[in-house]
Amino acid sequence: CERPTAEGSQHHAVYLWARGGDRGLLAKLQPHTQMIRALGLVEARGILLTASSDSTICVLNIQEPRRPRFLTRLCGHQGIPSSLAVDTGRAVTVSTRSELKVWSLASLSCCLSLTSPSPMLRVCLSWPLAATGGWRWQSARDSRPGLYYCRPGLSLATRPWPRLCPL
C-alpha cells in the first residue's frame, strides 16, 4: 500500500506524491475552483481534506492514491477557510471571518460552530482543545490567540497575547 504525501497549489490543484525512494507523482486532481489554502491528511483513514478560497472544504478518499475519489464538499463558512487541523475522528477549520467549525469525519458534517471577536488565521488541534491565532493589522490590541474547548454546548475562552515588544 502506497503512503502518499499531499501538496496544494494556488492553481486549485492537489498533487499526491509517493514517499520514499520513488517520489513520483501518483495523482493530480482539482477539487476546487480557487486556490488551496490548507491541507489535512488523516493517514489512518486514508482521507485528505482541502480548504480553499472558494469557501469550501473538500473531503477526498486517498486509500488508493493513484485513483483518489471525491467524497463530499463541506460548506458553511461565512468567510474563506484559512486553516485546518485534523485528527482521526474530526477536523477543525477557521475562516477569515473569525469562525471556528468542528467537523465529524464519521458523518462528514459540522457538529460545532463558534465565532470570535479576534481574528483566526491558523488552528492547531489536540482534542478537545483547539488553539487559534491571527493578526489584525489595524490594531495589535485586537489580536489574541484563542483556546477553545470544542465539545458542543460549552463556551470558548480567549486569552490576551502578551506583548513582548513595544509596537
Side-chain angles (χ1 to χ4, degrees):
C1 177
E2 294 174 292
R3 294 178 44 216
T5 188
E7 173 186 13
S9 80
Q10 65 183 3
H11 303 291
H12 59 273
V14 174
Y15 301 91
L16 297 178
W17 299 94
R19 291 185 191 172
D22 179 25
R23 296 181 187 218
L25 181 64
L26 298 172
K28 175 186 173 185
L29 55 155
Q30 293 181 310
H32 295 282
T33 59
Q34 294 183 22
M35 180 175 74
I36 308 285
R37 299 179 63 95
L39 299 171
L41 179 61
V42 185
E43 205 165 357
R45 289 180 175 241
I47 293 175
L48 176 67
L49 286 88
T50 62
S52 168
S53 293
D54 65 11
S55 295
T56 67
I57 296 109
C58 286
V59 183
L60 308 166
N61 179 325
I62 60 166
Q63 290 176 347
E64 295 180 42
R66 293 187 187 274
R67 291 187 306 241
R69 290 183 306 118
F70 174 85
L71 293 177
T72 193
R73 187 175 308 276
L74 305 174
C75 302
H77 271 294
Q78 298 301 310
I80 295 170
S82 57
S83 182
L84 68 87
V86 296
D87 70 10
T88 56
R90 61 201 56 83
V92 176
T93 56
V94 294
S95 79
T96 55
R97 292 236 180 129
S98 299
E99 295 175 290
L100 179 141
K101 290 190 179 287
V102 178
W103 307 88
S104 164
L105 296 180
S107 65
L108 297 175
S109 63
C110 181
C111 54
L112 180 66
S113 185
L114 302 166
T115 58
S116 170
S118 294
M120 291 193 253
L121 298 177
R122 295 289 176 254
V123 65
C124 297
L125 175 64
S126 181
W127 189 256
L129 299 174
T132 65
W135 186 259
R136 183 172 291 154
W137 293 104
Q138 295 85 2
S139 172
R141 282 178 271 121
D142 293 338
S143 297
R144 299 175 184 200
L147 181 61
Y148 299 85
Y149 191 77
C150 295
R151 293 206 189 267
L154 297 172
S155 62
L156 62 96
T158 59
R159 300 286 178 246
W161 188 259
R163 291 187 59 164
L164 302 176
C165 59
L167 298 175

